[in-house]
Amino acid sequence: MALVTWLGVLIVTTIIGRLLAPLAAYLPAFLLSLFATGLTVLALTYFLMPNLTRLFYPWLYPNRK
């Protein structure tokens, strides 16, 4: 599960970092970090992790069917 979570965080932080890059010059670092981490948690919780868990289900839970 740690590897799947790492994969999700990698994907989301890369995308969010690129989306928020234009704001980096205008926002204080703390505010930028607040937005980035908030968006990351939301994206992982509601969109990416449920899909990654389904995708990797056979690998994560090999003895369940």
Side-chain angles (χ1 to χ4, degrees):
M1 189 56 115
L3 288 174
V4 175
T5 303
W6 171 78
L7 178 63
V9 170
L10 175 67
I11 292 167
V12 172
T13 56
T14 301
I15 292 169
I16 289 175
R18 291 191 183 258
L19 290 175
L20 293 180
L23 297 175
Y26 303 106
L27 293 176
F30 177 76
L31 197 54
L32 187 64
S33 183
L34 184 71
F35 284 131
T37 55
L39 290 172
T40 299
V41 169
L42 286 172
L44 285 171
T45 301
Y46 295 108
F47 303 109
L48 199 56
M49 287 310 293
N51 292 313
L52 286 176
T53 303
R54 262 187 242 107
L55 179 66
F56 289 103
Y57 187 87
W59 181 68
L60 291 169
Y61 307 104
N63 296 327
R64 297 184 190 174
K65 295 186 182 187

